[in-house]
Amino acid sequence: MAVSSLVIIRGSGRLAVALPRSFWFATATAWAGGIYYLSSLSSPPSEPSYLWAWIANMAHAPLYGLLALWLALALPRADSDLGHKWSRLDPKHFHLVLWSVVAYAVLDELHQGAIAGRDASPYDLLTDFCAAFITLKVATAAVQDVTPKQMNRRLIRGVLVCCLAGLAATFG
């Protein structure tokens, strides 16, 4: 019998909140440093294919989705509807994480724009925003009364939105 994405997400979440919040804050900080490093690299001298450019633009989604997740795991914990501790993702904390990730993305795009052969793109910011928003919505849904089918739909829509944002960044 196949294990549903909801079971995997909830199980991973329970393991993640067992670690101290300071661990996740340090992870988010290190991750942001890794993003900064990647933004410091100059692009290759030859023009990449559209496929390669799309893949590179879509890479923003996991980078910023995981940054949002690590920051969410650094939030204070509260009892969830499922009876265990979970990161507090009420609207106030949800928006705190979301706009923190977007602010970092803006700073990173400005940094990237100063690197030879690179540019700053509002479309990259769109991909970063979509990834952070979708990640936080999935994390929020994981402790709500959702079915595996509803979670799968949410995940599929999220991947499609990030793919479309990467496509906009490629041709925008």
Side-chain angles (χ1 to χ4, degrees):
M1 180 175 166
V3 178
S4 77
S5 60
L6 184 58
V7 170
I8 293 168
I9 291 168
R10 285 179 175 162
S12 300
R14 280 193 289 277
L15 291 172
V17 296
L19 294 169
R21 292 172 44 214
S22 59
F23 171 83
W24 294 111
F25 184 77
T27 301
T29 302
W31 194 258
I35 292 171
Y36 184 87
Y37 170 75
L38 291 173
S39 294
S40 298
L41 302 175
S42 61
S43 55
S46 64
E47 188 67 29
S49 70
Y50 285 118
L51 177 62
W52 176 250
W54 181 45
I55 291 168
N57 285 321
M58 283 193 324
H60 279 254
L63 290 173
Y64 283 88
L66 285 170
L67 181 60
L69 180 61
W70 305 152
L71 287 173
L73 286 165
L75 291 172
R77 310 285 165 71
D79 288 329
S80 73
D81 294 344
L82 301 176
H84 55 78
K85 294 284 186 196
W86 200 259
S87 293
R88 185 174 292 147
L89 278 171
D90 54 51
K92 173 186 164 188
H93 289 94
F94 182 101
H95 286 101
L96 174 68
V97 171
L98 178 64
W99 295 113
S100 295
V101 170
V102 169
Y104 184 76
V106 168
L107 292 173
D108 187 56
E109 283 300 312
L110 293 173
H111 163 251
Q112 185 173 298
I115 303 299
R118 303 292 297 267
D119 60 355
S121 168
Y123 295 107
D124 285 345
L125 291 174
L126 174 65
T127 306
D128 303 341
F129 171 85
C130 290
F133 181 82
I134 291 161
T135 299
L136 295 172
K137 291 300 273 185
V138 167
T140 301
V143 292
Q144 296 172 342
D145 190 21
V146 297
T147 65
K149 189 174 184 177
Q150 290 169 319
M151 181 60 82
N152 287 340
R153 281 191 201 136
R154 191 173 292 228
L155 290 168
I156 290 167
R157 281 193 308 257
V159 168
L160 289 174
V161 165
C162 289
C163 288
L164 290 173
L167 200 58
T170 302
F171 293 104

